[in-house]
Amino acid sequence: MNTSRRSFLATAGGTAAFTALSASRVRGANDTIRIGSIGLGGRGMGSADWFSKIKGVEITHLCDADSSTLDRAKKKYPNAKASQDLRKVIEDKDVDAVIVSTCNHWHVLASVWACQAGKDVYVEKPISHNIWEGRKLVEAARKYNRIVQGGTQQRSDDLQTEIKAFLDEGTIGKIKYARLNRFGMRGSIGKRDKPLVPPKTVDYNLWLGPAKDEPIYRDKFHYDWHWDWNAGNGELGNWGPHILDDCRNVVFRDRVKLPKRVISGGGRFLWDDAGTTPNTQFYYIETDEVPVVMAVHNLPRKAGQRADDIYMRRKTNGFLVIECEGGYYTGGRGGGAAYDADGKKIKGFNGDGGGKHAENFIKAVRSRNRAEQNAEIEEIHYSSAWCHLGNISYRLGAEYEREKAEAAIKGFQPWNDMLGDFHAHLDANGIDPAKADIKLGAALDIDAEKETFVGGGATPEALALLRREYREGFAVPENV
Ligand SMILES: NC(=O)c1ccc[n+]([C@@H]2O[C@H](COP(=O)([O-])OP(=O)(O)OC[C@H]3O[C@@H](n4cnc5c(N)ncnc54)[C@H](O)[C@@H]3O)[C@@H](O)[C@H]2O)c1
């Protein structure tokens, strides 16, 4: 038994901690970087493949709480050591870095443990399940001097640099505001009468980790945890981390850490399933610079149609729309275009969706230079926090009235437009707003330095949602 194993076991009953034993091995340009891949579902397998193609990188360790998933991964990487227990991977001195592609509720704890054990970390978006723990991960990265990268890969797409350069040229004038849209269909996750029994192949204690042990009523065990606050963060915490991160990078150049004020609302309509997160959401974000509005529409464009909604004002999916004084940019992953005030296309943009992001991480792992990272953990902590803030507002929601919602942000037409789109989306799906359970969330003022709420919105309920209660043995430590 090596010392790090002993140190973990010594504290296993309470909050686990690793000592930084294998920390700071200096890797030469030709040294192999040995990766432990934790969480091997859809994304984890994709990332393992991605990293394994980088010269000098090897997937040496595999981990998934589900042994059947692990068995599938072993077929692809027969020489890798495999374990259902992430602690075994994290404490192994032969691991240099881990990829964390588990469900969201595990991201921070797994990453903090890895930092404590001296590993570098590539952690999927959202990098946290709540704001408080996101900050703890930043603290761990600093304390143990680790390279920690967030999985918002578009940061490594030259497209973002090109859009910034184009905006700086001033051809379409100053930025007025950003409108973001996640328009993509999803469906019901079912609603069982009796709780779901987790598959026999899953080590449920390890899968649950920091989350509450409560019955699950959805039909499918994997993936649909996204739509349950206990493990996931809804669509705003699923696609939001990409889109809001693009916005923070392209529109604000990371100058704006946290918003000043947020308000969100919406609901989970039509499906009558076990999901608790909204499938339709509107979100206003006030900053020290320009405002941002974001809409989530998971229902079809029209009842009975198999098509995503469309952002009618710009006749696109409108992932990232940057409205300027003399035109606008609209685009998504992999490309976009800029238009003048008359709607004439001025310039097209193409990207690769962020294919070089893994390489960017490995480069920094070798150089130990945080400044080389395109998605250093602190920035992606902020972007993840932008999602969490919207969700907190939504979860504190009271009964919705359109006039009240309109009055919440006075004199800002894009907010009214977004509410109009929300009503049109309901209408297109045959939902009567007078009969639907629509929520208008709390307006929350934020102290960006302290990462907390201030003023009348800083109620005990709001403050409680900045963090969570952790299951015994799986608490993110106060002191990393
Ligand atoms: N960057 C991107 O473009 C992108 C794309 C898809 C998903 N993601 C992110 O990747 C993560 C995983 O998403 P997914 O779609 O693969 O979900 P998934 O449910 O398919 O996979 C999650 C896997 O993690 C495993 N797991 C859970 N707890 C574990 C633990 N303690 N130890 C080891 N394994 C554990 C599960 O058994 C499962 O196999 C999510 O956070 C998601 O937001 C990112």
Side-chain angles (χ1 to χ4, degrees):
M1 187 187 290
N2 67 34
T3 322
S4 70
R5 176 85 181 139
R6 222 169 28 239
S7 83
F8 175 73
L9 291 175
T11 55
T15 298
F18 290 86
T19 42
L21 287 177
S22 56
S24 305
R25 180 173 78 101
V26 178
R27 288 103 174 162
N30 298 320
D31 280 356
T32 300
I33 306 289
R34 299 159 305 181
I35 302 241
S37 197
I38 302 173
L40 294 161
R43 181 58 181 175
M45 281 306 282
S47 298
D49 184 50
W50 194 25
F51 276 85
S52 69
K53 291 191 172 123
I54 301 173
K55 197 163 161 257
V57 173
E58 205 183 317
I59 305 294
T60 53
H61 293 67
L62 300 169
C63 175
D64 199 285
D66 186 338
S67 64
S68 71
T69 307
L70 196 56
D71 287 344
R72 201 181 56 213
K74 276 196 279 195
K75 289 200 182 106
K76 184 127 197 254
Y77 303 95
N79 298 326
K81 263 198 195 172
S83 172
Q84 268 178 288
D85 189 339
L86 76 172
R87 294 168 292 197
K88 293 214 171 104
V89 174
I90 289 170
E91 70 189 6
D92 194 317
K93 61 177 180 18
D94 292 333
V95 172
D96 297 311
V98 294
I99 307 173
V100 178
S101 314
T102 58
C103 325
N104 302 354
H105 67 286
W106 256 111
H107 287 180
V108 165
L109 187 59
S111 302
V112 165
W113 281 351
C115 288
Q116 290 172 335
K119 318 298 181 196
D120 296 319
V121 180
Y122 181 98
V123 55
E124 268 309 336
K125 46 50 59 172
I127 64 93
S128 57
H129 190 249
N130 62 67
I131 297 174
W132 174 83
E133 65 173 26
R135 173 53 63 186
K136 292 294 148 189
L137 177 51
V138 178
E139 287 173 15
R142 298 293 177 270
K143 178 167 173 184
Y144 300 99
N145 198 18
R146 305 323 305 156
I147 298 295
V148 184
Q149 174 113 314
T152 51
Q153 61 269 25
Q154 303 95 282
R155 286 231 173 200
S156 292
D157 190 338
D158 295 339
L159 171 69
Q160 298 207 343
T161 316
E162 282 167 30
I163 305 167
K164 286 192 259 192
F166 175 76
L167 293 170
D168 287 345
E169 281 164 20
T171 316
I172 56 172
K174 270 178 47 188
I175 299 174
K176 293 191 296 183
Y177 68 93
R179 163 78 190 241
L180 321 180
N181 300 296
R182 161 57 186 163
F183 288 175
M185 278 185 299
R186 297 202 181 266
S188 160
I189 60 169
K191 191 182 193 174
R192 307 164 60 85
D193 293 335
K194 294 211 179 92
L196 176 76
V197 179
K200 281 201 180 63
T201 48
V202 171
D203 182 326
Y204 192 51
N205 176 51
L206 282 176
W207 188 92
L208 263 186
K212 255 196 236 151
D213 189 0
E214 59 187 22
I216 293 173
Y217 288 97
R218 62 178 181 268
D219 284 332
K220 208 173 86 184
F221 183 74
H222 289 300
Y223 192 79
D224 284 344
W225 50 265
H226 272 297
W227 325 121
D228 171 4
W229 295 122
N230 193 29
N233 301 92
E235 190 72 300
L236 189 61
N238 185 40
W239 273 87
H242 285 303
I243 311 176
L244 288 162
D245 187 55
D246 292 357
C247 177
R248 284 197 58 254
N249 182 22
V250 174
V251 175
F252 298 111
R253 321 294 161 89
D254 293 336
R255 286 183 302 260
V256 176
K257 307 298 180 197
L258 290 185
K260 274 165 67 171
R261 181 164 229 250
V262 298
I263 185 164
S264 181
R268 190 173 182 90
F269 307 114
L270 280 185
W271 299 340
D272 185 25
D273 63 359
T276 48
T277 62
N279 61 15
T280 312
Q281 197 167 354
F282 48 83
Y283 182 20
Y284 168 81
I285 302 164
E286 192 173 309
T287 75
D288 284 327
E289 300 190 10
V290 296
V292 177
V293 281
M294 178 165 177
V296 170
H297 291 183
N298 283 157
L299 301 175
R301 192 176 302 176
K302 199 165 185 288
Q305 240 181 40
R306 295 270 333 140
D308 293 336
D309 201 5
I310 186 163
Y311 179 47
M312 283 312 289
R313 225 156 268 109
R314 294 306 184 200
K315 296 194 177 50
T316 67
N317 194 273
F319 197 83
L320 170 62
V321 183
I322 306 171
E323 295 285 353
C324 300
E325 282 169 355
Y328 64 96
Y329 168 86
T330 179
R333 284 171 136 184
Y339 298 82
D340 68 14
D342 300 322
K344 198 171 122 247
K345 186 167 164 181
I346 308 173
K347 185 174 160 66
F349 297 84
N350 289 309
D352 69 356
K356 295 188 290 284
H357 202 51
E359 259 177 85
N360 172 256
F361 170 67
I362 295 297
K363 192 167 167 235
V365 165
R366 290 191 192 281
S367 71
R368 314 306 305 157
N369 181 3
R370 221 160 66 205
E372 281 182 356
Q373 287 180 255
N374 292 335
E376 207 286 320
I377 194 63
E378 186 161 18
E379 287 312 333
I380 316 308
H381 156 60
Y382 293 127
S383 303
S384 303
W386 281 44
C387 309
H388 299 321
L389 288 169
N391 280 335
I392 294 174
S393 169
Y394 170 82
R395 294 176 75 177
L396 297 167
E399 206 183 322
Y400 172 90
E401 278 170 42
R402 187 162 181 174
E403 292 83 63
K404 247 207 269 175
E406 283 176 351
I409 311 296
K410 283 200 194 78
F412 183 53
Q413 188 55 36
W415 166 252
N416 290 338
D417 291 344
M418 186 172 55
L419 292 175
D421 295 345
F422 170 72
H423 280 271
H425 190 52
L426 296 187
D427 193 42
N429 282 283
I431 300 163
D432 177 354
K435 295 188 187 136
D437 180 15
I438 310 177
K439 284 186 171 41
L440 176 63
L444 299 168
D445 292 311
I446 296 134
D447 178 331
E449 281 301 308
K450 298 199 173 115
E451 303 190 348
T452 190
F453 301 123
V454 287
T459 59
E461 293 77 20
L463 296 171
L465 287 169
L466 288 168
R467 57 186 292 169
R468 78 173 306 158
E469 280 176 22
Y470 294 90
R471 206 160 62 92
E472 203 187 330
F474 297 96
V476 170
E478 198 76 47
N479 224 324
V480 294

